[in-house]
Amino acid sequence: MLSAAGFHMVPADTPQRQQELASHTALKMRYYLINGNAHYWFADPYVCNCVYVGREPEFQKYQRLKLQQQMVEQEQAAAAMNENAAEAEQFNWMGWPPSPFFY
């Protein structure tokens, strides 16, 4: 999602970069200001062994993508609940013999 938002991946491919990556909080968006402009970074030592870096436009796009992803997941969860409810309504509970699990 970070790449899709325009963040640049900087691999930790030197000992200095490895050390810097290890010093950052993993998997958390951070930022710093330069001349009043926000610069963002996201350290990922687990998947890409890299740091994603971007500025305000990339961060805003990332936030939009994250929100869209959350909406899709909520819609999928709601659809699954509706499907389960519809199946439960069609199920004839009384036609089944008693089970020790129901007592």
Side-chain angles (χ1 to χ4, degrees), residues 4-24:
F7 277 76
H8 298 283
M9 184 180 76
V10 180
D13 55 2
T14 67
Q16 181 182 2
R17 285 182 176 179
Q18 283 286 337
Q19 186 177 10
E20 187 174 331
L21 177 62
S23 72
H24 293 308

Side-chain angles (χ1 to χ4, degrees), residues 70-88:
Q70 290 171 348
M71 290 171 51
V72 165
E73 289 171 3
Q74 288 174 352
E75 288 172 0
Q76 290 172 340
M81 287 175 55
N82 289 338
E83 183 177 326
N84 289 340
E87 288 178 7

Side-chain angles (χ1 to χ4, degrees), residues 1-10 28-32 38-43 50-66:
M1 198 177 306
L2 290 164
S3 292
F7 277 76
H8 298 283
M9 184 180 76
V10 180
K28 186 165 184 175
M29 187 66 71
R30 299 289 189 177
Y31 75 96
Y32 59 95
H39 296 257
Y40 296 86
W41 82 88
F42 185 93
C50 70
V51 175
Y52 288 94
V53 295
R55 294 186 177 181
E56 191 64 32
E58 291 82 19
F59 179 72
Q60 293 301 323
K61 186 171 183 183
Y62 170 72
Q63 292 292 84
R64 285 192 304 275
L65 291 172
K66 205 163 88 168

